[in-house]
Amino acid sequence: MSSEPYTVRWGILACGWIASVFSEDLLRDPATRNVHDVHHHIQAVASSTSVDKAKDFIAKVKAPSSTTAYGSYEELVADPNIDIIYVATPHSHHFQNCLLALNAGKNVLCEKPFTVNAPQLEILIKVAKEKGVFMMEAVWTRFFPLSREVRRLVAEGEIGDVKKVFAWLDLAQDPEEKYKDGKHRMVNPDLAGGALLDLGLYPLTWLFQTLYHPLPPSSQSSPKVTSSIVFHPPTGVDASNIVLLTFPSTGALGVASSGMHVSNDTSSLGLPCARILGTKGEITITHPAYCPTKFTVYKEGEEPVERVFPIPGAGMFWEADETARCLRDGKKECEVMPLAESLEVMRVMDSVRAQNGFRYPEEIESVEY
């Protein structure tokens, strides 16, 4: 086996904020996070509006001067020198952008949420399998060393059988003032805005990776969903939500909540964003839910054990590293974030919206492309 790291050539589809954070993380030296087996190279960047915007993006993130700039997504996915496409467009466009890349025979890493609804994701999974390519949802939180350790502790019974999980992410946005023109992606229904798809996926991630993911496949049955939504009247998207999941194979309960009005951005205070409750103890995750660096294990009769996991950068490189290893090893999906599990989470969010009469415009709910 070669001692040289496996290099992945990335194509970045879109030039917004999340694309820049991901790209800057790709360019960090892997050795700074003690990774030596994989390496990342930004091969090309595409804007849907102009080649100049792509060139500006390349300069902004300090990508190599050899990076190709494209003025259309079609040109990007046709580039034979790209190994995988990172889709970083708004939620509303994930389905069509992923489908474009898949039909071009490209591997795909797509920002969360994967699609607007489950039927769209079912189509993407079908096409990815037909094309024989890798595809994964970029739920970056799943790949943190902290998350891996929490999953290990849960799976090994450190706190006994997990019976309840509470997780929340509320970030006060002042949407009536900050987003009063209704065009921002957080409140714009045409961009699949609202708290659930943007913020709510993180609390659901904590529920799924502790109550669903550790189970054997035969026990991974779909949870029962009960929910409530409070709407943002100016645009009709959800401003706040609470989701109760009952997992039938274990009888465990999970409560996930997210919203745009209440703030729990209390990192400096060390307050929790999730509590994982077992028969022998509890694991508390310190805020923020999307990017935690600390958890504490509490057990009866024992001193609390605090674990700290620094993040040498933004933290998006860990999902990229795992993607690279999957490509190197010829895998078509990743065990950390399986396609079937992404689909289950999407079905939960579909159920929440259906229970509360919340549907996006037909053109972005559509499975036609």
Side-chain angles (χ1 to χ4, degrees):
M1 181 178 293
S2 173
S3 60
E4 291 296 314
Y6 181 83
T7 298
V8 174
R9 301 169 298 176
W10 291 85
I12 308 299
L13 190 150
C15 297
W17 170 76
I18 197 67
S20 66
V21 175
F22 181 80
S23 296
E24 288 168 357
D25 254 19
L26 280 183
L27 296 169
R28 295 179 187 274
D29 182 357
T32 61
R33 55 188 180 272
N34 198 32
V35 168
H36 304 281
D37 59 329
V38 294
H39 184 75
H40 306 282
H41 174 72
I42 299 179
Q43 183 69 28
V45 174
S47 163
S48 63
T49 55
S50 74
V51 68
D52 287 339
K53 187 173 180 181
K55 289 178 179 178
D56 290 343
F57 179 92
I58 290 169
K60 175 186 174 184
V61 302
K62 299 180 181 179
S65 59
S66 60
T67 304
T68 304
Y70 290 118
S72 73
Y73 298 156
E74 287 78 9
E75 291 175 285
L76 181 77
V77 302
D79 188 332
N81 297 310
I82 291 173
D83 297 314
I84 186 166
I85 301 292
Y86 171 65
V87 175
T89 47
H91 311 156
S92 52
H93 291 60
H94 287 179
F95 173 60
Q96 65 189 64
N97 297 150
C98 286
L99 202 53
L100 178 71
L102 293 174
N103 282 327
K106 286 291 191 288
N107 301 299
V108 170
L109 176 67
C110 179
E111 260 308 322
K112 61 84 191 167
F114 225 141
T115 50
V116 171
N117 55 46
Q120 290 179 346
L121 181 52
E122 289 171 352
I123 291 172
L124 294 185
I125 292 172
K126 179 175 181 290
V127 174
K129 290 181 177 179
E130 289 173 349
K131 295 291 184 178
V133 297
F134 173 88
M135 186 172 72
M136 186 177 79
E137 183 179 20
V139 184
W140 60 318
T141 312
R142 286 263 189 155
F143 298 87
F144 293 171
L146 179 148
S147 294
R148 292 179 183 270
E149 181 64 5
V150 169
R151 291 197 300 271
R152 184 188 70 82
L153 293 175
V154 168
E156 293 182 0
E158 179 66 21
I159 57 171
D161 295 330
V162 177
K163 294 298 185 181
K164 291 182 182 179
V165 176
F166 298 88
W168 53 94
L169 178 60
D170 290 89
L171 298 176
Q173 307 279 308
D174 191 14
E176 286 77 14
E177 182 59 32
K178 188 176 180 181
Y179 309 135
K180 59 185 177 182
D181 65 0
K183 296 180 180 179
H184 191 276
R185 65 175 183 83
M186 283 298 297
V187 297
N188 189 343
D190 293 330
L191 298 178
L196 181 65
L197 265 62
D198 194 270
L199 304 177
L201 187 134
Y202 291 110
L204 287 173
T205 290
W206 284 105
L207 268 56
F208 266 83
Q209 70 174 344
T210 54
L211 295 176
Y212 182 94
H213 189 82
L215 299 176
S218 59
S219 298
Q220 290 180 331
S221 51
S222 301
K224 176 186 174 182
V225 182
T226 307
S227 65
S228 184
I229 278 178
V230 173
F231 291 94
H232 176 63
T235 62
V237 301
D238 73 301
S240 185
N241 59 73
I242 290 181
V243 182
L244 169 62
L245 300 185
T246 305
F247 292 83
S249 64
T250 61
L253 297 173
V255 179
S257 181
S258 61
M260 293 188 282
H261 287 96
V262 178
S263 176
N264 73 340
D265 189 6
T266 50
S267 307
S268 62
L269 301 178
L271 298 179
C273 64
R275 295 180 63 195
I276 304 162
L277 309 178
T279 54
K280 297 180 180 179
E282 172 179 338
I283 300 174
T284 299
I285 313 296
T286 302
H287 181 83
Y290 50 87
C291 191
T293 59
K294 183 171 66 176
F295 71 77
T296 306
V297 179
Y298 299 91
K299 298 175 73 173
E300 188 71 32
E302 299 181 15
E303 288 294 314
V305 177
E306 183 179 282
R307 298 281 304 278
V308 178
F309 296 78
I311 299 175
M316 290 191 153
F317 36 65
W318 282 310
E319 67 183 2
D321 293 342
E322 194 65 24
T323 298
R325 294 183 185 110
C326 288
L327 296 181
R328 178 195 64 193
D329 299 341
K331 296 179 179 179
K332 304 308 177 186
E333 60 180 294
C334 177
E335 293 93 340
V336 177
M337 190 67 256
L339 295 173
E341 199 162 333
S342 288
L343 186 57
E344 282 292 342
V345 175
M346 186 58 64
R347 286 171 174 160
V348 166
M349 294 194 289
D350 281 2
S351 294
V352 173
R353 293 198 294 121
Q355 288 175 10
N356 293 275
F358 177 22
R359 187 170 174 84
Y360 291 110
E362 288 305 313
E363 62 180 8
I364 66 169
E365 294 269 10
S366 175
V367 296
E368 299 295 328
Y369 171 56

